[in-house]
């Protein structure tokens, strides 16, 4: 399983591009992209979308990776993570039903 940073770095290397060129194309600072690739900083959702489009990667897959890393980072030292995730999933279903008027 690759981290988001590893996925972004692999995509850049497959295109044989240097950070400076990618930064200019996607309008994201070069040092930020470097930090994303090293997993030192997380991109915003907007930045993920720009990078996915530029690299020709699945936007949905990158967003799933992005969200899952945020959740994993938050819960990595917590006990009962499976139970927390189950309850969270139930709450999400409840919230969606509220919005849909069901």
């Amino acid at each position: 399983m690759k981290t988001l940073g590893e996925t972004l770095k692999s995509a850049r290397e497959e295109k044989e591009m240097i950070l400076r060129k990618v930064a200019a194309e996607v309008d994201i600072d070069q040092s930020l992209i470097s930090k994303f690739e090293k997993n030192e900083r997380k991109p915003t959702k907007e930045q993920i979308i720009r990078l996915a489009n530029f690299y020709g990667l699945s936007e949905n897959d990158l967003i799933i990776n992005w969200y899952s890393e945020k959740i994993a980072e938050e819960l990595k030292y917590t006990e009962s993570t499976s139970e927390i995730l189950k309850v969270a999933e139930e709450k999400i279903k409840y919230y969606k039903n509220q919005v849909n008027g069901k």
Side-chain angles (χ1 to χ4, degrees):
M1 174 177 291
K2 281 187 175 181
T3 65
L4 180 62
E6 291 167 342
T7 300
L8 294 173
K9 185 173 184 175
S10 292
R12 179 177 59 80
E13 289 174 343
E14 283 177 25
K15 283 194 161 243
E16 298 180 353
M17 295 191 74
I18 59 174
L19 282 170
R20 184 172 31 91
K21 295 274 189 186
V22 174
E25 291 288 330
V26 296
D27 194 30
I28 300 172
D29 188 80
Q30 175 181 334
S31 64
L32 273 179
I33 295 172
S34 175
K35 288 178 182 178
F36 299 159
E37 289 183 359
K38 294 176 187 174
N39 294 302
E40 293 174 355
R41 186 161 170 183
K42 297 292 180 207
T44 64
K45 189 174 180 181
E46 177 189 318
Q47 290 167 329
I48 285 294
I49 292 167
R50 279 194 255 161
L51 289 164
N53 291 329
F54 176 73
Y55 290 133
L57 299 172
S58 165
E59 188 176 305
N60 190 53
D61 288 350
L62 276 190
I63 289 173
I64 289 169
N65 193 338
W66 179 70
Y67 271 121
S68 66
E69 283 191 9
K70 289 174 81 161
I71 294 165
E73 183 67 31
E74 186 67 31
L75 297 177
K76 69 181 173 186
Y77 299 118
T78 304
E79 295 197 23
S80 306
T81 53
S82 295
E83 187 177 343
I84 292 166
L85 292 171
K86 286 177 191 172
V87 172
E89 187 174 20
E90 291 171 18
K91 286 184 179 186
I92 290 168
K93 288 177 186 174
Y94 174 78
Y95 295 149
K96 285 183 176 181
N97 285 336
Q98 293 297 316
V99 170
N100 294 329
K102 294 182 179 177

